[in-house]
Amino acid sequence: MDRMLEIKDFVVEHQKNPFGIDCAEPRFGWKLISEEKNVFQTAYQLKVYTEHSGSESVSRKRA
């Protein structure tokens, strides 16, 4: 059975459309939506790109 998992309401520093955030370690948030019961997140990975860094990226993971 395929589980349908959706990410909604992604925010950065509690803002839906952040622009010009002056924060060295910004906080990210999102909601997981699933039709299944007892579905929860065990890890994440974010890649953040800035307009000025080109192909440079920052990744974060947590298990």
Side-chain angles (χ1 to χ4, degrees):
M1 177 186 298
D2 291 335
R3 288 187 180 181
M4 181 66 172
L5 186 63
E6 186 177 350
I7 297 174
K8 285 195 166 199
D9 299 332
F10 186 81
V11 294
V12 179
E13 288 297 316
H14 305 286
Q15 298 179 34
K16 287 187 178 185
N17 296 307
F19 181 76
I21 292 177
D22 187 22
C23 182
E25 294 185 22
R27 295 169 289 180
F28 298 91
W30 55 86
K31 295 178 184 173
L32 296 177
I33 308 298
S34 176
E35 294 177 358
E36 301 280 329
K37 289 186 176 186
N38 298 318
V39 174
F40 55 93
Q41 182 174 332
T42 59
Y44 69 87
Q45 178 178 7
L46 298 174
K47 291 188 178 184
V48 180
Y49 298 88
T50 65
E51 183 177 76
H52 302 291
S53 68
S55 62
E56 189 175 328
S57 68
V58 176
S59 297
R60 296 181 184 205
K61 296 181 182 180
R62 184 185 302 177

